[in-house]
Amino acid sequence: MGMPEIRKLPSGVQTFSQVRLNYDVYVDKTLHIYNMVSNYKVVFLSRPRRFGKSLTCSTLEALFSNEKKLFKGLAIGKTNWKWKKYPVIRLDTSLANFTGENGLKNLRTLINKQLNLCAKNYKIKLGKGDISDNFFDLIVALYEKMGEVVVIVDEYDCPMLDTLNFPENHELIRKELQGFYKVLKGCDKYLKFVFITGVTKFSQVSLFSGMNQPEDISMHPNFCALCGITQEELEKNFDVEIEDGFKHLEFKTKEEYLSRLRSYYNGYHFSDDSVSVYNPMSIIKHFLGNFAFRPFWSETGTPSFLVEYVKNQPDRLQNFKKQRISAESFAKYDKDTLSLIPLLYQAGYLTIASYDKENVLFTLDYPNGEVRSSFAKFLASYFGNSINTDSDNYGVELTDALKTGNVKGFMEVLKVYLQKVDYSLIAKIKEYYFEFAVANILNMLGVRCNVEVHSALGSVDAVIEFGGYVYIMEFKKDKSVATALKQIEEKGYAVAYKRLGKGREARKIIKVGVKFCSKKKNVVDWKIKIAN
């Protein structure tokens, strides 16, 4: 057997020209870009970090700079796009520290440097005004010299997010940016196209109130795949890597490998009825990292604004999965009552799981195994004392017990983990917090544990599907296990799972009643019943 073909993949590359000229793969998004620039003038797009927002900005810059050669063979070449060179102002507000006493000064310095660099490239000289004056002067000067101007702002919300926990800086920066973006309204007649992107949308702090309200395409079904990689795009563009990975990992079939990729890296939905996408960074690093299934996205670090938010308000984590929220909630913002659920969605830790058209509500859940496991470890760092499943043999024992239907072994190991949970972070112990701790421990190990699973007659506390078993668990605080098992029976929680698989593929259903003691803060009793 000869050496497999190794292709150069663009991991972390955010410049369109570099991807096109120096790498072997480019996932063509130019038809999405054509539809966007052909239908709108001012556009806003929210996507999680490492999702290709900067590459989209670079692609737009190349398009409006008339770098036609870079687009040879791409989808936009089959459209009626009129190739023309426009002056482009591109800004990135993530390149400074805004949290210290010089936060506002650093913001002004950063933006002015970028405005002056742009002016220099077009042989224009700016004065020594503030950022709003220089922005206005640059737009007008470029228009007089070359015609309509394109403005691209990447990571626009970074100064706001970085200062969420620094109220004085936050308010000063908000006011400064509000005045800065107000320039765009006064310059409307000089503008061809405006693109603003970031993680969050601060719609209710009047950040954009001074400008023409941008068209928010973040949840538009036509643009749900503008950033990210669809299953079809994956199999078309990475066929070589898929073939190599399938052979290297020795899966029985290629479909088994693809199924594993989907469950671990796919699953992001950005509209009510959309295809799901992969995080580009994660899937490319998987191919480049000897096909290892690792949480590459989370290894780049949890955003500091989210870390501080969770540390300061841990009680808001209760029941954060399977939440139903309205479309308006995704952009709801108040510096005193920032909602955790939309924040987790925008940061990429939750995604749209389903949509209730009648009540116009979205249900959110983890997108995939990578995020489920990595976010569970992040939570454990605040709710546990040195819980480390990577080096802890207990993790292997726990999963082995689940694989073999050994409930006793599972419970004994679970008790060890629960001893490490820091319940002092929670004002009042409730049954839900126990469910949360159990689910989080399992999610760290890559075992999917769903809590508060709804059925026709109620909701079961936890359902674990692992190997050939389905575990239906009901937890009771300071009540008997008989009470828990009786509820499972009377509510018919097992009925929905009896039809899963047939013959040899059928999974054994085990009903588990668990008693949790509020004083000992741990499991004290359990009882099982095998479903017929």
Side-chain angles (χ1 to χ4, degrees):
M1 181 182 292
M3 287 284 292
E5 179 184 351
I6 299 177
R7 300 196 297 176
K8 192 175 181 182
L9 304 182
S11 174
V13 183
Q14 301 176 345
T15 305
F16 179 68
S17 60
Q18 289 186 15
V19 176
R20 293 292 288 154
L21 297 174
N22 302 327
Y23 293 86
D24 294 322
V25 176
Y26 169 68
V27 179
D28 190 354
K29 299 293 184 179
T30 59
L31 185 57
H32 293 293
I33 287 175
Y34 168 78
N35 288 330
M36 176 177 67
V37 299
S38 298
N39 288 282
Y40 307 112
K41 181 175 181 178
V42 183
V43 173
F44 172 79
L45 175 70
S46 167
R47 283 294 181 270
R49 62 196 176 88
R50 312 289 184 182
F51 234 92
K53 299 188 298 295
S54 295
L55 180 58
T56 301
C57 290
S58 179
T59 307
L60 285 166
E61 183 178 19
L63 179 68
F64 284 108
S65 297
N66 201 33
E67 298 181 43
K68 190 174 181 179
K69 290 182 179 180
L70 295 176
F71 293 86
K72 185 178 180 181
L74 299 182
I76 197 169
K78 299 177 182 179
T79 69
N80 62 353
W81 175 254
K82 296 180 181 178
W83 293 95
K84 178 184 175 182
K85 185 177 179 64
Y86 295 88
V88 178
I89 300 173
R90 184 177 171 189
L91 304 171
D92 184 341
T93 63
S94 69
L95 307 176
N97 177 22
F98 309 105
T99 58
E101 60 181 16
N102 293 321
L104 180 58
K105 180 181 178 182
N106 291 345
L107 174 68
R108 291 168 172 168
T109 300
L110 173 66
I111 292 179
N112 261 332
K113 279 185 177 179
Q114 294 182 63
L115 292 175
N116 278 285
L117 180 60
C118 178
K120 183 179 179 181
N121 290 338
Y122 289 103
K123 296 181 171 52
I124 292 172
K125 189 176 179 72
L126 293 178
K128 295 185 178 181
D130 60 27
I131 59 174
S132 297
D133 288 340
N134 284 343
F135 193 28
F136 178 85
D137 291 345
L138 180 58
I139 291 173
V140 173
L142 286 172
Y143 177 81
E144 292 175 345
K145 185 172 184 177
M146 299 177 62
E148 291 180 312
V149 180
V150 173
V151 176
I152 301 169
V153 185
D154 194 6
E155 303 289 359
Y156 92 98
D157 54 343
C158 186
M160 298 284 289
L161 289 173
D162 284 359
T163 56
L164 278 176
N165 296 289
F166 301 87
E168 291 184 8
N169 277 14
H170 187 79
E171 185 60 19
L172 289 172
I173 284 173
R174 184 192 69 79
K175 290 181 178 179
E176 186 76 13
L177 288 175
Q178 184 179 357
F180 180 74
Y181 290 119
K182 189 175 181 179
V183 171
L184 293 171
K185 182 176 183 179
C187 291
D188 182 68
K189 63 182 178 181
Y190 306 124
L191 299 173
K192 168 67 177 176
F193 183 74
V194 176
F195 184 71
I196 300 172
T197 187
V199 173
T200 56
K201 185 183 180 184
F202 289 104
S203 65
Q204 296 186 358
V205 289
S206 304
L207 198 61
F208 298 139
S209 64
M211 61 177 283
N212 294 333
Q213 281 296 317
E215 184 70 30
D216 185 356
I217 64 169
S218 304
M219 300 180 71
H220 195 300
N222 290 345
F223 301 101
C224 59
L226 173 59
C227 295
I229 299 173
T230 68
Q231 187 67 33
E232 182 181 357
E233 290 170 336
L234 180 77
E235 295 184 38
K236 176 183 176 181
N237 291 277
F238 298 94
D239 54 328
V240 172
E241 288 71 29
I242 290 171
E243 185 70 24
D244 291 343
F246 153 61
K247 293 176 180 177
H248 177 79
L249 298 175
E250 299 181 346
F251 279 88
K252 291 181 180 179
T253 66
K254 190 181 295 184
E255 183 51 44
E256 284 187 13
Y257 176 46
L258 289 171
S259 177
R260 174 69 170 142
L261 287 176
R262 281 193 295 269
S263 65
Y264 198 76
Y265 290 119
N266 200 343
Y268 291 92
H269 294 261
F270 295 113
S271 78
D272 57 326
D273 184 21
S274 70
V275 297
S276 62
V277 295
Y278 292 82
N279 181 314
M281 190 207 76
S282 293
I283 192 66
I284 291 175
K285 281 192 173 292
H286 165 78
F287 291 137
L288 292 174
N290 203 30
F291 309 103
F293 283 93
R294 280 171 44 198
F296 294 106
W297 178 66
S298 64
E299 287 175 2
T300 63
T302 304
S304 58
F305 69 86
L306 190 58
V307 172
E308 291 301 316
Y309 188 87
V310 171
K311 284 173 63 177
N312 294 334
Q313 304 180 61
D315 56 304
R316 292 194 181 185
L317 283 168
Q318 67 166 312
N319 204 17
F320 69 94
K321 287 200 318 168
K322 299 293 184 182
Q323 284 284 309
R324 301 212 303 167
I325 65 174
S326 65
E328 293 77 17
S329 297
F330 287 99
K332 188 176 181 180
Y333 169 83
D334 182 281
K335 63 178 181 297
D336 297 320
T337 59
L338 184 60
S339 178
L340 177 63
I341 306 305
L343 194 63
L344 287 171
Y345 166 80
Q346 292 167 343
Y349 291 95
L350 294 176
T351 196
I352 296 171
S354 61
Y355 177 62
D356 181 346
K357 292 184 179 180
E358 183 177 350
N359 295 302
V360 197
L361 293 173
F362 294 87
T363 298
L364 305 182
D365 200 355
Y366 291 127
N368 53 44
E370 177 191 29
V371 175
R372 185 183 304 110
S373 174
S374 59
F375 192 62
K377 291 178 181 178
F378 161 65
L379 293 179
S381 67
Y382 296 105
F383 285 89
N385 299 318
S386 69
I387 294 178
N388 187 344
T389 60
D390 292 326
S391 61
D392 201 336
N393 289 331
Y394 288 124
V396 177
E397 291 181 29
L398 195 145
T399 52
D400 282 348
L402 287 175
K403 286 179 184 177
T404 57
N406 181 5
V407 176
K408 180 180 179 180
F410 170 80
M411 287 296 174
E412 291 296 341
V413 177
L414 184 63
K415 287 168 69 176
V416 176
Y417 274 113
L418 290 173
Q419 288 174 354
K420 301 178 181 180
V421 175
D422 186 2
Y423 288 98
S424 66
L425 290 171
I426 301 163
K428 186 177 180 181
I429 298 296
K430 298 179 181 178
E431 288 171 8
Y432 176 75
Y433 292 116
F434 173 56
E435 300 164 22
F436 166 80
V438 172
N440 206 60
I441 289 166
L442 290 171
N443 285 331
M444 280 193 294
L445 298 168
V447 177
R448 183 162 192 168
C449 178
N450 288 321
V451 297
E452 296 295 318
V453 180
H454 295 284
S455 69
L457 297 175
S459 59
V460 60
D461 286 342
V463 176
I464 305 168
E465 298 178 52
F466 197 69
Y469 295 88
V470 177
Y471 301 88
I472 298 175
M473 296 187 170
E474 186 67 26
F475 306 121
K476 291 298 178 185
K477 186 188 74 169
D478 302 325
K479 294 181 181 179
S480 70
V481 293
T483 303
L485 281 175
K486 183 180 179 181
Q487 183 170 326
I488 295 175
E489 294 292 339
E490 291 182 347
K491 299 291 186 180
Y493 292 151
V495 174
Y497 299 92
K498 287 184 177 181
R499 299 176 183 176
L500 294 177
K502 296 180 180 180
R504 293 182 179 180
E505 299 298 322
R507 288 183 285 179
K508 184 175 289 187
I509 299 173
I510 301 179
K511 306 168 187 176
V512 188
V514 184
K515 180 179 178 180
F516 176 75
C517 178
S518 58
K519 290 184 178 179
K520 294 183 178 180
K521 299 175 183 177
N522 212 322
V523 172
V524 293
D525 193 16
W526 65 86
K527 188 175 182 180
I528 70 170
K529 184 174 182 180
I530 308 298
N532 296 325

